Amino acid sequence: MSAWLVSIAGTPQGAALATALALLAAFLHAVFGAIQKGRFDPLLNRGAVDASYALMAAPFAFFVVPWPEPHMWPLFAAIIAVHVVYKLIAVAAYRRGAYTVVYPVMRGTGPLFTVIGAFLLFGERFTLTQWMGVLTLLSGIYGLALYNLRTITIDRDTLVPALWLAVLTGLFVAAYTTFDAYGIRATADPFTFLAWFFFFDGLVIPVIASIAYVRLPDPPALGALARRGVVGGLVAVVSFGSIMLATRLDQVGQAAVLRETSTVFAALIGWLMLGERVGPRRLALMGLIAAGAVIVEMGG
């Protein structure tokens, strides 16, 4: 499969598969965000998830895929450092703000800077039509965040710092998306990158989460936390793996923009699973997000 994926990169077939993978990643990333925000403390959730996918990736990394080339080790170190900082900032934002306010701001900040990063690193250029799509998508995402900010009644006292943390998280979303795209293109076998990435990426946060867990006066049951971690780990592997493969097959910026339709899925999850209301204004803003993604895709 690796040889086939590499062979279709940059072709119309590769572009079509990249689009499907980016949309799959969008849906699953919204699910993942809800898992990280829900029930337990976000740091404990994240630690359980990361430990789960590190254990899932280990046998593939050590025994299935080819080992990374020597030049990949420093790349992995830099990429994992960016991901660790991203996760810690995201945890801080989720602790302070409502999911449907924080999540759109995180995701809305990412695509604009990812498009700029893809231009600087890979020489990718968006057409005027695609830039119109980006602006349409961003107007929907930030409009949704502002509407939620005005109407939400929970976590009001910590919402402003949560929003600043969400903006900072978005900058790190752009950074890791660009660096991940560089990394998966720098190795001959994309599945080598994926297996070792998930193994390394799952080693740091569980240690931090374990320290926090033992200090809690009334820690949650490990069984329930582990079950959430396994489910979240599976979702994370498919979600992040899909978007990384999409950036190997087609434009990094285009895949990043399509992934941000996750905000639509996040609003629906907030309504269906977290009891947060969805009215006509929010539906209209979600329509703008979807329309922006379609314009980017059609304008490419």
Side-chain angles (χ1 to χ4, degrees), residues 22-23 25-26 29 103-104 106-112 114 137-138 141 173 176-177 243 254-265 289-290 293:
L23 292 175
H29 199 283
Y103 188 85
M106 287 181 181
R107 307 317 304 179
T109 308
L112 177 61
T114 302
L137 179 136
L138 292 179
I141 289 176
V173 168
Y176 82 63
T177 302
I243 194 62
Q254 189 163 313
V257 171
L258 289 175
R259 181 181 55 185
E260 302 323 319
T261 54
S262 62
T263 309
V264 177
F265 297 117
I289 297 168

Side-chain angles (χ1 to χ4, degrees), residues 218-262:
D218 185 25
L222 281 174
L225 192 59
R227 285 193 294 272
R228 180 173 287 263
V230 170
V231 174
L234 289 169
V235 171
V237 166
V238 180
S239 173
F240 287 99
S242 295
I243 194 62
M244 290 180 197
L245 286 174
T247 61
R248 174 75 184 245
L249 293 169
D250 199 22
Q251 281 194 326
V252 176
Q254 189 163 313
V257 171
L258 289 175
R259 181 181 55 185
E260 302 323 319
T261 54
S262 62

Side-chain angles (χ1 to χ4, degrees), residues 10-236:
T11 68
Q13 185 182 8
L17 180 57
T19 298
L21 288 170
L23 292 175
L24 174 63
F27 169 70
L28 291 176
H29 199 283
V31 174
F32 182 78
I35 290 172
Q36 188 172 352
K37 173 66 178 176
R39 191 175 179 186
F40 302 118
D41 179 85
L43 178 60
L44 300 184
N45 281 332
R46 186 77 222 200
V49 167
D50 284 19
S52 295
Y53 66 58
L55 290 172
M56 295 174 195
F60 292 95
F62 284 99
F63 304 114
V64 178
V65 300
W67 277 55
E69 301 89 338
H71 69 269
M72 290 302 299
W73 301 116
L75 273 178
F76 278 125
I79 288 168
I80 299 308
V82 172
H83 274 269
V84 168
V85 175
Y86 151 73
K87 291 173 194 176
L88 292 175
I89 298 171
V91 163
Y94 280 133
R95 280 176 167 172
R96 290 166 174 80
Y99 175 64
T100 51
V101 176
V102 170
Y103 188 85
V105 175
M106 287 181 181
R107 307 317 304 179
T109 308
L112 177 61
F113 288 99
T114 302
V115 170
I116 295 171
F119 167 72
L120 295 174
L121 197 59
F122 304 113
E124 294 182 2
R125 298 177 183 274
F126 265 26
T127 66
L128 179 60
T129 301
Q130 286 182 303
W131 275 112
M132 294 292 292
V134 171
L135 293 176
T136 302
L137 179 136
L138 292 179
S139 66
I141 289 176
Y142 282 113
L144 185 62
L146 289 171
Y147 178 76
N148 291 337
L149 176 63
R150 186 170 63 87
T151 59
I152 204 80
T153 57
I154 59 174
D155 299 327
R156 295 293 305 185
D157 55 331
T158 57
L159 207 48
V160 171
L163 287 172
W164 282 113
L165 286 166
V167 171
L168 185 58
T169 304
L171 294 176
F172 274 88
V173 168
Y176 82 63
T177 302
T178 307
F179 281 126
D180 291 350
Y182 184 84
I184 200 170
R185 294 178 182 200
T187 185
D189 190 323
F191 291 102
T192 292
F193 177 84
L194 292 177
W196 283 94
F197 165 80
F198 283 114
F199 173 67
F200 285 136
D201 191 52
L203 298 179
V204 180
I205 299 298
V207 176
I208 299 172
S210 298
I211 295 171
Y213 181 87
V214 298
R215 292 179 176 176
L216 290 175
D218 185 25
L222 281 174
L225 192 59
R227 285 193 294 272
R228 180 173 287 263
V230 170
V231 174
L234 289 169
V235 171

